[in-house]
Amino acid sequence: MINILFRRLCQAAFVAWSVGTITFIAMRLLPGDIAYRIAAGRYGYDYVDQAAKLAVEAELGLDRPAFQLYWQWLLDLVQGDLGRSLVSDAPVIGEIYHQLGHTVMLAIAATLVSLLIALPIGVYCGKRAGSKRDQFGLFFSVLLRAQPVFVIGLLMIILFAIHLRVLPVAGFGSSEYIVLPAVTLAFGLAAMSNRVIRNATQRALTSGYYLFARLKGLSETQAFEHHAQRNIAIPVVAFVGIQAVGLVEGIVMIESLFSWPGIGHALAHAIFQRDIPMIQGTALIMGLLFVAINTLVDLAGYALDPRQRRGHSTKTEEISS
């Protein structure tokens, strides 16, 4: 387990450096004047002139060479300082901390809803693999997964917010505001994960250890609970981790569509306003989220699968001998 944490820590350091560097270079390569866009973000496009642009440039030090700006960002990063927003002048770490809470809330809600949908469908189809109901589940999953997430979101808005008027269109406030964005994300996740659960269930139910448990006299429920569930959970946990990585990417679009005040929504605004410290900080936190999710998946797999623990023990014994 210590080896897993050490590897992920090294990966996190590399991700922090590489994401920040690539983001810095990409922002510098974009066409347009950064100081002008920042001045427009502060004062509005109708009130921006050359004097405002030069004042912003001098105030933020944007007239310095790019290498100096990059080196200063690296030094601040080592000290845990992500700088201040060029538009609002607020500390980047404070703004991200506030927005990250909303994003994590949405991601957890979407994951839980997707599991509530996928688990019963996947186990049901896995127990009836090859049947017409299983084939219908496959067809519906493929159809749902083929739809872009913003199309599902628009359909949800039209149906539940405009026609039925039972849920708000967008925004943030009471708990009802999270329903549409969470369910929209959950549909895309459940469309894939229910097939993984279905395949894992089928493999477990046709395995030698499960059939032996039935021959010993265990009922179907006892054999499933004691010998199949854990083996089904191992690939499912790994896949949910992969989905969580994709979920972080999909959240950017969903947060913008539903005006959810999360980190993806802030990133879209920062890119439009050329707020470089905010973009670098947001991209860096999202990169670190990838590493954190993969670490949790590795630790969950380590706890669930005794073969992984035995493999690490064997390697340790070989090295010590």
Side-chain angles (χ1 to χ4, degrees):
M1 184 179 292
I2 294 175
N3 289 335
I4 294 174
L5 294 175
F6 180 73
R7 284 201 307 271
R8 293 304 184 189
L9 186 63
C10 295
Q11 190 179 7
F14 177 74
V15 166
W17 169 78
S18 59
V19 168
T21 302
I22 292 172
T23 307
F24 182 87
I25 295 172
M27 288 299 101
R28 290 284 163 179
L29 293 178
L30 285 176
D33 192 298
I34 294 176
Y36 182 86
R37 298 296 293 269
I38 294 171
R42 286 184 178 182
Y43 313 119
Y45 281 95
D46 294 337
Y47 301 98
V48 177
D49 53 16
Q50 185 66 13
K53 177 233 172 192
L54 292 175
V56 168
E57 203 170 60
E59 176 191 341
L60 303 177
L62 296 176
D63 50 350
R64 289 183 293 167
F67 178 76
Q68 286 186 15
L69 295 172
Y70 173 68
W71 181 247
Q72 184 63 49
W73 181 81
L74 278 180
L75 291 177
D76 292 340
L77 178 63
V78 172
Q79 300 171 27
D81 182 7
L82 297 181
R84 305 182 77 86
S85 168
L86 297 182
V87 176
S88 65
D89 198 36
V92 170
I93 192 71
E95 295 214 354
I96 290 177
Y97 177 76
H98 176 70
Q99 294 149 356
L100 187 61
H102 296 117
T103 296
V104 171
M105 185 196 307
L106 178 58
I108 291 175
T111 303
L112 290 177
V113 173
S114 75
L115 289 176
L116 287 175
I117 298 171
L119 274 173
I121 294 176
V123 172
Y124 181 85
C125 292
K127 289 182 175 179
R128 296 161 181 79
S131 67
K132 289 185 178 179
R133 294 172 184 176
D134 178 37
Q135 292 174 359
F136 176 76
L138 173 62
F139 171 77
F140 191 71
S141 298
V142 171
L143 181 66
L144 190 61
R145 190 65 186 93
Q147 308 306 315
V149 67
F150 69 89
V151 173
I152 299 175
L154 288 175
L155 291 175
M156 298 285 287
I157 289 173
I158 293 170
L159 179 60
F160 292 102
I162 297 177
H163 285 286
L164 298 179
R165 297 184 179 181
V166 293
L167 291 169
V169 175
F172 177 78
S174 57
S175 57
E176 61 184 3
Y177 283 89
I178 200 173
V179 175
L180 284 184
V183 172
T184 300
L185 283 169
F187 276 155
L189 299 176
M192 288 290 291
S193 56
N194 88 85
R195 302 313 297 175
V196 174
I197 295 169
R198 178 261 186 204
N199 293 336
T201 303
Q202 185 194 16
R203 277 197 300 272
L205 297 184
T206 55
S207 64
Y209 59 82
Y210 181 82
L211 296 176
F212 182 69
R214 295 282 288 139
L215 285 174
K216 285 194 303 182
L218 295 180
S219 67
E220 185 177 342
T221 304
Q222 289 173 325
F224 187 80
E225 289 179 353
H226 295 289
H227 297 281
Q229 281 185 347
R230 177 167 291 211
N231 288 286
I232 294 172
I234 294 170
V236 172
V237 167
F239 187 74
V240 169
I242 295 171
Q243 278 197 316
V245 174
L247 179 64
V248 174
E249 298 170 349
I251 270 180
V252 175
M253 186 173 295
I254 288 300
E255 286 182 348
S256 298
L257 180 63
F258 289 96
S259 297
W260 186 262
I263 198 169
H265 189 56
L267 178 61
H269 277 276
I271 292 173
F272 183 73
Q273 296 173 331
R274 300 290 179 85
D275 192 346
I276 295 177
M278 196 68 197
I279 296 169
Q280 287 178 300
T282 307
L284 186 146
I285 294 299
M286 293 179 78
L288 293 179
L289 271 178
F290 293 154
V291 179
I293 290 169
N294 283 323
T295 304
L296 291 176
V297 170
D298 285 349
L299 293 177
Y302 187 86
L304 285 171
D305 192 353
R307 292 170 297 186
Q308 291 191 28
R309 297 195 293 273
R310 201 174 301 129
H312 283 289
S313 301
T314 306
K315 287 181 181 177
T316 306
E317 290 170 2
E318 289 176 353
I319 292 171
S320 60
S321 63

